[in-house]
Amino acid sequence: MTSPTTIFDTVESESRSYCRSFPTVFTAARNATLIAEDGTEYTDFLAGCSSLNYGHNDPDMKQALIDYLSADGVAHGLDMFTGAKRAFLESFRDIVLKPRGMDYRLQFTGPTGANAVEAAMKLARKVTGRHNVIAFTNGFHGVTNGALAATGNGYHRGGSGMPLSGVTRMPYDGYYGPDIDTAAMIAKQLDDPSSGIDAPAAFIVETVQGEGGLNAASPEWLRAIAALAKKHGALLIVDDIQAGCGRTGTFFSFETMGIEPDIVTLAKSLSGMGLPFALVMMKPEYDIWGPAEHNGTFRGNNHAFVTAREALEKFWATSAFMGEVQDKGDLLHNRLSAIADRYGFSLRGRGMFRGINTGDGDLAAAICKSCFEQGLIIETSGPEDEIVKVLAPLTIPRDQFERGLDILEEAFDRVLTKQTAKAA
Ligand SMILES: *Cc1c(COP(=O)(O)O)cnc(C)c1O
């Protein structure tokens, strides 16, 4: 007997993962709605792990891409000049960089986030002539070997089969609880010539740790880390692959933190439409690569240039969208607070990048499973997968957002009431 998913079970590698939580075949998607082949509609609170901040198949991005395809626009051009790349660079300069007073050079790496992180870490090592990169507990930076060395998660690290070297792990903000200033701990270690910490080439940090459990660093802590980097001659790399492109309420997640990274990585929602596309931004003085020294066949995806430009023009040319995201972030905070308060759980994250720490991976999984049965796609994160993480598209209509949050709330009630009943 074959089922609609037999082909996946018999032919696709066991490495497949999200499909295990959502074992249905999806065939269409619009904004915050995913549609299965049997016609069932699901609200998407996963949004491609924040690769779909503007929802599925935004009509304007889709039309821009259709027009480009119809006109036989260049699909692949290595890293040659194309009209699509020029238009993207102009929009990025005028809409993102200039209004923020930012001066960066843009390097298009291979199309995944890990590709951008690899390039960023290599560049920092090349600039400083040092090998040691400081990364943080619960950091996630991708799973290619160089990036994986900076990733904390033991399950992912265990997949390498190689020593993951060149990185020193330091405690993230709040790692030892609210009373311990981990930036001061790190400062002491770096100041001590006998601490055994090699002089760092870079610090690589997420302002909110997406995969690591939605830990949000305070502006003070980030400023302290930025000052430490400067003092010790290291570059500050902000990995904004998941927290960037509006997820926290501003285009970059660090915009309101009072820091000026030397290098920034972007990927996930950068293309706007879920197309693979990644970017390394570096301060001009660190743009010291030789031509093709860090090369790759897919450096800059022309289809993504088209949709990414449309995303910038549509959502970021004025501040209206930013205000809308901040309002939705407040709504999310209020709704999650009500649930967390009822059960004594804590909240994590900021902006539209928030979740509830249930303290228990099995419990969080049961809640997500219950949501799926009621038509809501939502996942967990954190070291024990104990955080229920809401990653709705930023463009989700308010009523659909509220309905999705209703399903989430009911799932908490259903699963926790059942548990209490079992215990009694
Ligand atoms: C997803 C992610 C990456 C890796 O991106 P891939 O496209 O999966 O390689 C790196 N850093 C952060 C912060 C991420 O969330």
Side-chain angles (χ1 to χ4, degrees), residues 3-4 12 52 161 211 241 258 291 306 313 334 363 389 408 413 415:
S3 82
E12 194 181 2
L52 294 160
E211 298 307 300
I241 288 172
V306 172
E313 299 283 342
N334 294 339
L363 174 60
K389 165 166 111 162
L408 181 63
D413 292 342
V415 170

Side-chain angles (χ1 to χ4, degrees), residues 111-115 117 140-143 206 210-211 239-243 267-268:
T112 71
N115 292 151
V117 169
F140 183 86
H141 303 286
V143 298
E206 299 157 272
E211 298 307 300
D239 181 351
D240 228 12
I241 288 172
Q242 189 161 164
K268 291 207 164 87

Side-chain angles (χ1 to χ4, degrees), residues 258-278:
I259 58 170
E260 216 181 293
D262 298 300
I263 300 178
V264 180
T265 55
L266 288 175
K268 291 207 164 87
S269 273
L270 180 63
S271 77
M273 224 181 120
L275 298 175
F277 188 39

Side-chain angles (χ1 to χ4, degrees), residues 69-323:
L69 290 168
S70 302
D72 288 330
V74 174
H76 179 93
L78 295 168
D79 70 348
M80 288 191 274
F81 295 154
T82 63
K85 192 199 300 200
R86 178 170 56 202
F88 170 78
L89 285 169
E90 286 169 353
S91 292
F92 199 87
R93 178 195 59 198
D94 295 343
I95 295 173
V96 176
L97 298 178
K98 268 194 181 163
R100 293 168 179 78
M102 294 170 90
D103 187 14
Y104 288 88
R105 289 288 178 82
L106 272 49
Q107 177 187 7
F108 301 107
T109 62
T112 71
N115 292 151
V117 169
E118 293 283 346
M121 290 172 67
K122 274 175 69 176
L123 180 62
R125 288 174 172 139
K126 185 175 163 69
V127 166
T128 59
R130 300 171 176 176
H131 72 276
N132 188 28
V133 170
I134 293 180
F136 293 95
T137 49
N138 288 307
F140 183 86
H141 303 286
V143 298
T144 54
N145 275 352
L148 186 56
T151 290
N153 185 290
Y155 178 66
H156 291 122
R157 292 174 69 85
S160 168
M162 283 285 286
L164 297 169
S165 55
V167 169
T168 299
R169 187 79 34 195
M170 293 286 186
Y172 194 72
D173 192 16
Y175 188 69
Y176 294 113
D179 299 330
I180 294 181
D181 177 359
T182 61
M185 291 173 61
I186 299 165
K188 175 149 171 77
Q189 283 182 287
L190 289 176
D191 284 338
D192 178 354
S194 253
S195 69
I197 310 293
D198 292 329
F203 287 70
I204 183 164
V205 66
E206 299 157 272
T207 67
V208 182
Q209 297 183 313
E211 298 307 300
L214 296 174
N215 309 303
S218 70
E220 297 73 29
W221 187 84
L222 287 166
R223 285 199 288 271
I225 295 299
L228 269 180
K230 195 167 216 141
K231 178 176 175 193
H232 291 278
L235 304 195
L236 178 65
I237 304 171
V238 172
D239 181 351
D240 228 12
I241 288 172
Q242 189 161 164
C245 299
R247 180 52 62 185
T248 64
T250 49
F251 186 80
F252 295 107
S253 71
F254 55 84
E255 266 175 52
T256 55
M257 304 273 123
I259 58 170
E260 216 181 293
D262 298 300
I263 300 178
V264 180
T265 55
L266 288 175
K268 291 207 164 87
S269 273
L270 180 63
S271 77
M273 224 181 120
L275 298 175
F277 188 39
L279 179 60
V280 173
M281 301 165 48
M282 76 276 285
K283 290 271 186 69
E285 60 269 36
Y286 302 131
D287 184 20
I288 61 161
W289 293 115
E293 187 177 0
H294 184 85
N295 72 2
T297 307
F298 293 102
R299 277 178 294 151
N301 170 346
N302 277 279
H303 293 164
F305 284 135
V306 172
T307 55
R309 174 177 187 273
E310 185 62 34
L312 295 180
E313 299 283 342
K314 177 169 178 174
F315 293 105
W316 297 101
T318 72
S319 61
F321 180 64
M322 219 162 68

Side-chain angles (χ1 to χ4, degrees), residues 31-32 43-56 246-247 269 321 325 328 332 351-354 376-379 389-397 400-402 404-405:
N31 199 1
T43 288
D44 187 359
F45 273 16
L46 179 56
C49 284
S50 205
S51 298
L52 294 160
N53 284 359
Y54 315 107
H56 294 268
R247 180 52 62 185
S269 273
F321 180 64
V325 175
K328 281 183 194 160
L332 179 57
M352 279 288 274
F353 202 23
R354 295 179 195 268
L376 179 70
I377 292 173
I378 185 166
E379 259 291 0
K389 165 166 111 162
V390 179
L391 280 179
L394 310 179
T395 52
I396 189 170
Q400 187 178 6
F401 194 27
E402 293 261 26
L405 290 165

